[in-house]
Amino acid sequence: MSRIQKAFERLNGEGRKALIPFITAGDPSADLTVPLMHALVEAGADVIELGVPFSDPMADGPTIQRASERALARGMTLRKVLQLVTTFRTVDDKTPVVLMGYANPIEAMGLQRFAEKAAQSGVDGVLVVDYPPEEAESFGTAMKAQGMDPIFLIAPTSSAERIAQVAQIASGYVYYVSLAGVTGSGALNVNAVAERLPAIRQKTGLPVGVGFGIRDAATAKRIAVFADAVVVGSRIIEEIEKSTAETACANVKALVADIRRGVDEVKK
């Protein structure tokens, strides 16, 4: 059983929902990435999504695009991201880490080599935004062969057929994109999300995480009523942008702890 599966089983037994915060590796610096990851755990993160910076992050809005640009400008690469996970694992061998990024850096390294290196570093799951499920059989097989969970996005526009394809390949959890747009865009329609999840659950028994547009404890609480996990990204990146190197960890920890309190007001 993967760390991700263990985390969701534990939460289910406790009657709680998962909180999955996102940060970009290398933003605001490589030196701060691991301390930020530990701050997320201290604030109540159940799973960490660690962004692999990419020069053309098509699914991300301006906030996460800026984070990728800053990280790339400081020399962050996929290999260095894996090194950061290895460093994180010297202290924390329990919190699941999911890499979230794009196909190009993985293809450049080679899928099999990436799968081996990611597993060795302590990665638990991988979400590749531009691997459509119709073309991701080899990706899913490579991840599972190394004990990692292939995780996929489901959009408001995803057909029943597409959801079924995701269900066949995915493990760990599925990530429902609550907005038809890029990260950080638009206003979140909680009722529309609630109406969409039953169709997803008809196709898969995996936990369903919901992200895009969740910015505070109140919204997180509303999403947690019907989702298994709440994913928060752009709002955390904004907090990092507003902070200095000296205050970033404390400010992010305070923000995520507040969102955690909102999530924990909802019981299964």
Side-chain angles (χ1 to χ4, degrees):
M1 184 183 296
S2 72
R3 287 190 187 95
I4 294 173
Q5 291 170 304
K6 288 179 181 178
F8 277 102
E9 279 208 356
R10 172 182 57 80
L11 289 162
N12 190 54
E14 296 170 355
R16 300 168 66 228
K17 304 299 184 78
L19 175 59
I20 307 179
F22 167 97
I23 60 172
T24 298
D27 179 51
S29 68
D31 290 343
L32 270 179
T33 297
V34 173
L36 280 168
M37 293 171 72
H38 289 307
L40 294 175
V41 176
E42 292 165 6
D46 298 298
V47 178
I48 294 172
E49 283 188 357
L50 186 62
V52 178
F54 182 54
S55 57
D56 186 21
M58 65 189 77
D60 293 306
T63 299
I64 294 178
Q65 285 184 22
R66 290 194 301 269
S68 277
E69 290 167 1
R70 290 190 294 266
L72 292 170
R74 290 169 173 80
M76 186 52 54
T77 64
L78 176 55
R79 293 179 188 276
K80 291 180 180 179
V81 173
L82 297 179
Q83 291 170 3
L84 292 173
V85 178
T86 299
T87 302
F88 175 75
R89 284 284 174 238
T90 63
V91 174
D92 188 324
D93 65 353
K94 294 183 179 179
T95 306
V97 175
V98 172
L99 297 188
M100 185 171 183
Y102 294 82
N104 187 278
I106 293 174
E107 297 293 337
M109 180 179 286
L111 178 58
Q112 294 302 325
R113 182 170 176 78
F114 165 75
E116 293 167 3
K117 293 293 185 183
Q120 290 169 7
S121 71
V123 171
D124 301 287
V126 182
L127 195 169
V128 182
V129 174
D130 47 349
Y131 272 161
E134 301 92 336
E135 302 172 12
E137 184 176 348
S138 59
F139 164 69
T141 300
M143 296 303 105
K144 291 177 181 178
Q146 295 294 328
M148 294 182 293
D149 290 315
I151 297 165
F152 289 87
L153 299 174
I154 295 174
T157 54
S158 294
S159 65
E161 181 183 9
R162 170 61 68 89
I163 296 170
Q165 290 170 331
V166 167
Q168 288 180 346
I169 304 173
S171 62
Y173 62 95
V174 296
Y175 185 154
Y176 179 68
V177 176
S178 58
L179 300 171
V182 295
T183 56
S185 68
L188 178 60
N189 185 333
V190 175
N191 292 333
V193 176
E195 292 171 1
R196 185 71 169 133
L197 291 200
I200 298 172
R201 289 199 167 101
Q202 285 179 355
K203 301 294 184 181
T204 178
L206 293 174
V208 180
V210 174
F212 286 41
I214 300 168
R215 302 185 56 81
D216 53 34
T219 310
K221 177 181 177 180
R222 294 178 67 196
I223 292 293
V225 169
F226 48 83
D228 300 298
V230 174
V231 187
V232 183
S234 294
R235 178 64 186 88
I236 296 173
I237 302 299
E238 289 174 2
E239 195 66 28
I240 292 171
E241 287 183 322
K242 294 189 297 184
S243 303
T244 64
E246 293 74 24
T247 63
C249 287
N251 290 349
V252 166
K253 183 177 177 179
L255 169 67
V256 174
D258 185 53
I259 294 172
R260 171 86 260 177
R261 284 190 288 272
V263 172
D264 282 345
E265 290 180 12
V266 177
K267 299 296 181 182
K268 286 192 175 182

